[in-house]
Amino acid sequence: MMQYSAPAMIVNEATNCHDSGSNGLRGSVGGGAMFRRILNAVLLTLAAVLLALPAFADSQVRIVRLSQVDGAVQADRNTGQGFEKAFLNMPVTQGMKLRTNTDGRAEIEFEDGSTLRMVPHTIVVFPELSLRDSGAKATAVNIQDGTAYVNFTGKKDDEFTLSFAHEKVSLTKPAHFRIELGDTDATMAVFKGDVQVEGPSGAVNVGKKQTATFDLADQDRYALAKNLEPDPYDEWDKQQEQYHQRYTASNSYSPYSYGVSDLAYYGNYINAPGYGMCWQPYFTGLGWDPFMNGAWMWYPGFGYTWVSGYPWGWMPYRYGSWLFLPAYGWVWQPGYWTGWQPLPRVVNPPRQFVAPRPPASPGQTVIVNRGPLPGHGTPKRMIVRNDSAGLGIPRGSVRNLADVSQQVKQNGFAEPRVHNSVGSSSSISTMSPGVRSGPGATPMGRGAGPRMSAPHPVAPTHSAPTPHAPAPTPHR
């Protein structure tokens, strides 16, 4: 969780005052007693400050990832603004609501790699995302409307409950299923595993390739069928799952699984001298920095956090450090897994780099787009340029991104063939200048900004080093 150092600084200043010499408190009659009274007052004030800190600092609230945004998706972050535009890589926190509109699709990725996918006209609420004293993760999801796909990985000791209509599901082992809410009935179709559903009509066990239908107009009475009725979005869900399975196999130096598949697809690990194994996105040169595309977003309880606009931009901005190495450019060093980072650590930045800073006033959403335009083109071909860092490339849509990266290094651009788009380009390029949220928001466009790092006009065609080291085995 976030750490606050200001109160400790207050105590240090009080101690320094005590030791300040003959002109300080010790030099006067009764100075020691006076100092103790002042110190006690400071400590009482400190206790009050700690109690008044945002609840997130000392609570056990968890944060998960909005891992795909395709089309019109909205989020209610409990800011008082209601539903607002949702962005890829937005933190999803306890109490948030997500809504997909006519053409909207979304995926939420949990720490263990479990996913929840939403098709158009779906509303999902997250009433609980917390951490037990034992370290177990407690997740409660409520599907209020529409259709959702759930793929639960079944990590031991974690609690995952899901509710829809008047039904409740407590997941304890791996399962993959679809839930559809209609006006008069609700159905659960199980693709993998078996799921027990509890409701007003009792408990029913729904096994693999079975469908349970609940009559919402008749006390949720259920009927169990030993077959699966296909849904138009089954193939989309299957493609997303295949992407995660294929690229999570490479994994990373991470105790978490969310975001790992994107690291394997959009970049590679290198052995950086003096720093060990580090990750670097494809299509970057010395003119690129990690803060060229993204947004500052305000969350009640823990203030501003940086939300990256890159398709791989979750784990490298929540954990570890960004390093600038003269021979390679910017690389991400894994680590610092125990706390939430609103902004990642930056190590050894170039001289002209200006560290990003959050807005001065609370409640805003500030968009930053300083990098090159995202990849674009026809449904079968796209144009990828240097320093795009994968922006605009739908995940899993282009084979051998490492080879494409080499082409971009040599030519400044490449035109790879799109073979299997598991998400449209809109699912990645969702941050654009002119989007604002909250009172007094000041969105930034290209070239904006003392808050953001300046571009580096050096060797624009340099990119990732030639060796493509395989991703190491994860530490579990």
Side-chain angles (χ1 to χ4, degrees):
M1 300 298 173
M2 293 173 62
Q3 301 297 320
Y4 292 83
S5 58
M9 292 172 61
I10 295 175
V11 173
N12 290 338
E13 289 175 4
T15 305
N16 291 338
C17 178
H18 175 69
D19 293 332
S20 58
S22 59
N23 292 327
L25 293 176
R26 292 182 63 181
S28 60
V29 178
M34 184 182 297
F35 170 77
R36 284 192 295 272
R37 287 195 295 272
I38 294 175
L39 182 58
N40 287 336
V42 169
L43 291 176
L44 288 173
T45 303
L46 171 62
V49 169
L50 290 174
L51 290 174
L53 284 174
F56 183 82
D58 296 312
S59 74
Q60 294 176 306
V61 172
R62 291 164 38 229
I63 297 177
V64 298
R65 176 198 186 198
L66 183 56
S67 51
Q68 183 173 2
V69 175
D70 188 6
V73 181
Q74 295 178 306
D76 184 343
R77 294 174 290 134
N78 296 311
T79 61
Q81 301 298 314
F83 280 100
E84 307 166 280
K85 182 179 176 64
F87 297 130
L88 178 70
N89 292 318
M90 273 182 61
V92 176
T93 58
Q94 182 167 289
M96 274 186 60
K97 298 179 182 179
L98 290 174
R99 179 172 70 188
T100 53
N101 295 327
T102 303
D103 62 342
R105 293 177 296 182
E107 178 190 82
I108 298 88
E109 195 176 8
F110 300 88
E111 298 96 323
D112 63 355
S114 296
T115 57
L116 184 146
R117 300 188 183 100
M118 304 166 59
V119 307
H121 303 295
T122 300
I123 299 176
V124 174
V125 183
F126 299 85
E128 183 176 19
L129 291 171
S130 63
L131 195 67
R132 302 291 188 228
D133 291 337
S134 63
K137 298 176 179 64
T139 302
V141 177
N142 176 234
I143 301 173
Q144 293 189 340
D145 195 16
T147 300
Y149 294 82
V150 177
N151 195 333
F152 178 63
T153 62
K155 190 171 181 180
K156 185 179 180 181
D157 298 329
D158 286 351
E159 306 169 22
F160 196 114
T161 61
L162 184 143
S163 59
F164 60 99
H166 303 105
E167 317 307 315
K168 182 179 179 180
V169 177
S170 296
L171 298 172
T172 58
K173 50 188 176 181
H176 183 196
F177 54 91
R178 178 188 73 219
I179 291 177
E180 297 177 84
L181 278 174
D183 294 332
T184 59
D185 59 22
T187 62
M188 169 182 280
V190 177
F191 305 114
K192 182 181 70 175
D194 60 89
V195 180
Q196 183 167 322
V197 185
E198 298 180 358
S201 295
V204 55
N205 191 74
V206 188
K208 182 179 179 180
K209 295 185 178 179
Q210 292 184 342
T211 302
T213 301
F214 302 88
D215 189 343
L216 304 182
D218 187 14
Q219 297 183 344
D220 288 18
R221 295 184 187 278
Y222 61 84
L224 189 62
K226 295 184 178 180
N227 69 315
L228 296 176
E229 291 292 335
D231 185 274
Y233 288 96
D234 287 353
E235 185 62 26
W236 172 71
D237 173 68
K238 181 180 178 181
Q239 289 177 349
Q240 303 300 319
E241 198 55 39
Q242 288 175 341
Y243 168 81
H244 286 299
Q245 290 174 356
R246 178 176 180 179
Y247 292 102
T248 300
S250 300
N251 226 305
S252 70
Y253 280 129
S254 168
Y256 303 111
S257 296
Y258 58 172
V260 164
S261 55
D262 295 328
L263 296 182
Y265 179 69
Y266 287 101
N268 70 303
Y269 282 84
I270 62 174
N271 193 353
Y275 295 98
M277 295 303 294
C278 296
W279 179 85
Q280 186 173 52
Y282 297 132
F283 317 114
T284 59
L286 293 179
W288 177 85
D289 73 63
F291 307 101
M292 298 181 81
N293 287 283
W296 284 107
M297 301 194 76
W298 171 267
Y299 280 79
F302 65 101
Y304 280 105
T305 193
W306 174 258
V307 179
S308 172
Y310 294 105
W312 45 262
W314 178 256
M315 197 172 289
Y317 296 88
R318 305 282 74 94
Y319 310 100
S321 306
W322 278 100
L323 316 172
F324 182 80
L325 305 178
Y328 300 104
W330 288 93
V331 298
W332 174 66
Q333 183 182 40
Y336 296 101
W337 303 112
T338 57
W340 169 260
Q341 294 188 49
L343 184 70
R345 294 171 175 83
V346 175
V347 178
N348 193 39
R351 181 175 301 177
Q352 63 268 42
F353 176 78
V354 178
R357 294 182 306 218
S361 302
Q364 302 180 32
T365 295
V366 178
I367 310 299
V368 177
N369 290 88
R370 278 188 33 254
L373 289 172
H376 60 282
T378 69
K380 293 298 182 182
R381 287 187 179 274
M382 67 172 58
I383 299 175
V384 181
R385 300 190 182 279
N386 199 39
D387 284 348
S388 63
L391 194 68
I393 301 177
R395 61 189 193 183
S397 64
V398 177
R399 292 188 178 98
N400 301 319
L401 276 190
D403 294 340
V404 178
S405 180
Q406 292 300 315
Q407 297 177 32
V408 172
K409 277 203 305 182
Q410 296 171 5
N411 305 321
F413 71 97
E415 297 184 60
R417 180 177 294 275
V418 177
H419 72 92
N420 180 26
S421 178
V422 298
S424 71
S425 60
S426 63
S427 67
I428 294 171
S429 179
T430 57
M431 294 184 181
S432 58
V435 179
R436 67 175 65 215
S437 173
T442 54
M444 296 182 183
R446 295 183 187 281
R451 290 196 179 110
M452 306 308 300
S453 51
H456 314 303
V458 182
T461 59
H462 180 82
S463 187
T466 301
H468 301 291
T473 303
H475 297 298
R476 294 291 188 188

